[in-house]
Amino acid sequence: MQKFKDYTPEERCNYITLSTWEYYPDILKDACRLYSPALEMFSTIIHSSESSTALFQNIS
């Protein structure tokens, strides 16, 4: 099986995302805009969790 490091730079660019759907933007600015609500919620959960165990439970 070929490792990712063995791909040429031209081939690597085809593996930026898992999907080519519009929900997986290749442009960071668009990704930040799309995922902003989820990232903000995750930040809130992190800051309100006193331990990694609590973080896991709060996410669940």
Side-chain angles (χ1 to χ4, degrees), residues 6-7 10 12-13 19 25-27 31 35-36 43 45 48 59:
D6 298 327
Y7 286 91
E10 293 78 22
R12 287 183 201 150
C13 71
S19 176
D26 293 333
I27 300 169
Y35 295 114
S36 181
S43 177
I45 294 171
S48 66
I59 291 171

Side-chain angles (χ1 to χ4, degrees), residues 2-4 6 8 11-13 16-18 20-21 25 28 30 38-39 43 46-48 53-54 56-58 60:
Q2 187 175 13
K3 295 184 186 269
F4 187 71
D6 298 327
T8 66
E11 293 173 311
R12 287 183 201 150
C13 71
I16 285 176
T17 62
L18 297 175
T20 56
W21 295 356
L28 182 58
D30 292 340
L39 294 171
S43 177
I46 287 174
H47 288 93
S48 66
T53 302
F56 178 74
Q57 290 171 338
N58 289 336
S60 297

